């Protein structure tokens, strides 16, 4: 059973518009979440994280929102740029703090 | 500074052969992790090392997989008697300590023929 789900395999957005990537989780004990971005043939790059004591964290064009009651988080990219085109992975830190549990990723394509 | 490095970047092997994959973590990072990404899948946790503590091996898929970390730095992931389903990208990550942000290497692409 997948504990972290990214139900949209792909998303296409025009340059300058907002990209919204969604993620759901099943384990209410998860308390730390991260987003990673991955280009082909490279390792994932850390983007932004959020602790369960917050409902929002912002870093430049990237904002992550956490809705604990819905077990849902989202990543907003505003404005989207062509260089943002990549696979985005949502991850939750396991309770022991020893491993990240990843979703399957969403491929974002930003067209100019 | 230097990031996580992995070698080789690509490895093609025949079914039944053993392979060794290497990871050099970021200097000063005490925690080291191995993950793998099979085609169309997310990253799957394999093993975690923290300092001199016993590793968390709960993600290793079979006893053909093993890993060690020598001197608290470099790690080697060994797959014995490789099978075609072992074909994947094997990713190493390190962090300053447990529960800190993990930084990933570029991965080793393993193809078992």
């Amino acid at each position: 059973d997948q504990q972290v789900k990214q139900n949209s395999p792909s998303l296409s957005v025009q340059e300058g518009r907002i990209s919204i990537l969604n993620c759901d989780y099943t384990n209410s004990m998860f308390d730390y979440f991260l987003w990673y971005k991955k280009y082909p043939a490279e390792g994932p790059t850390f983007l932004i994280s959020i602790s369960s004591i917050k409902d929002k964290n912002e870093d430049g064009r990237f904002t992550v929102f956490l809705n604990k009651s819905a077990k849902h988080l989202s990543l907003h990219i505003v404005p989207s740029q062509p260089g943002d085109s990549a696979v985005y992975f949502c991850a939750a830190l396991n309770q022991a703090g020893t491993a990240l549990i990843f979703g399957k990723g969403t491929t974002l394509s930003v067209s100019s | 500074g230097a990031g996580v490095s992995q070698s080789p970047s690509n490895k093609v092997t025949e079914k039944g052969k053993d392979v060794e994959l290497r990871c050099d973590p970021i200097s000063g990072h005490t925690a080291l992790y191995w993950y793998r990404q099979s085609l169309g899948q997310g990253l799957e946790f394999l093993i975690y090392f923290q300092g001199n503590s016993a590793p968390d091996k709960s993600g290793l898929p079979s006893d053909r997989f093993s890993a060690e970390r020598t001197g608290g730095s470099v790690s080697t992931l060994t797959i014995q008697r490789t099978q075609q389903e072992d074909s994947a990208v094997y990713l190493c990550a390190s962090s300053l300590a447990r529960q800190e942000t993990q930084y990933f290497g570029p991965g080793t692409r393993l193809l078992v023929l």
Side-chain angles (χ1 to χ4, degrees):
Chain A
D1 256 6
Q2 268 200 291
Q3 296 190 70
V4 177
K5 299 177 186 178
Q6 294 177 257
N7 292 318
S8 297
S10 62
L11 175 68
S12 294
V13 170
Q14 280 194 318
E15 182 178 7
R17 306 296 284 264
I18 184 171
S19 295
I20 301 176
L21 297 104
N22 293 304
C23 178
D24 297 293
Y25 59 96
T26 57
N27 189 336
S28 58
M29 299 301 291
F30 289 154
D31 61 9
Y32 192 66
F33 304 89
L34 306 90
W35 285 92
Y36 283 83
K37 169 176 162 180
K38 187 180 183 302
Y39 293 117
E42 294 184 11
T45 303
F46 169 71
L47 265 180
I48 193 168
S49 62
I50 188 165
S51 163
S52 62
I53 62 173
K54 292 184 168 184
D55 54 19
K56 176 183 172 181
N57 190 25
E58 194 170 353
D59 183 1
R61 297 185 297 115
F62 301 91
T63 303
V64 56
F65 296 91
L66 176 62
N67 182 334
K68 291 186 288 294
S69 61
K71 298 198 198 68
H72 177 84
L73 60 155
S74 60
L75 174 68
H76 292 210
I77 307 174
V78 182
S80 302
Q81 299 173 353
D84 296 330
S85 298
V87 180
Y88 288 78
F89 289 99
C90 169
L93 186 64
N94 72 352
Q95 290 168 252
T98 58
L100 291 173
I101 301 167
F102 284 86
K104 291 189 178 182
T106 297
T107 300
L108 174 65
S109 299
V110 181
S111 56
S112 53
Chain B
V4 177
S5 60
Q6 292 186 244
S7 60
S9 53
N10 293 281
K11 177 73 178 178
V12 181
T13 191
E14 292 179 347
K15 178 180 168 182
K17 296 281 178 75
D18 296 353
V19 295
E20 281 190 355
L21 313 179
R22 177 187 167 107
C23 172
D24 282 90
I26 294 171
S27 178
H29 281 195
T30 64
L32 186 147
Y33 315 77
W34 284 97
Y35 294 84
R36 75 174 175 182
Q37 184 181 17
S38 303
L39 194 62
Q41 301 296 312
L43 283 75
E44 171 193 1
F45 166 74
L46 296 177
I47 189 168
Y48 157 80
F49 294 93
Q50 172 65 58
N52 295 321
S53 304
D56 176 354
K57 303 179 183 180
S58 60
L60 294 178
S62 78
D63 58 9
R64 296 186 296 103
F65 288 72
S66 63
E68 61 177 24
R69 188 179 184 192
T70 52
S73 181
V74 171
S75 176
T76 303
L77 177 69
T78 301
I79 309 174
Q80 294 179 309
R81 304 181 303 282
T82 51
Q83 304 294 311
Q84 288 180 333
E85 61 263 28
D86 299 334
S87 296
V89 178
Y90 289 81
L91 290 149
C92 177
S94 69
S95 63
L96 272 172
R98 186 172 65 96
Q99 296 185 315
E100 297 288 335
T101 300
Q102 297 179 27
Y103 296 91
F104 284 81
T108 293
R109 284 147 197 80
L110 174 66
L111 178 61
V112 182
L113 300 175

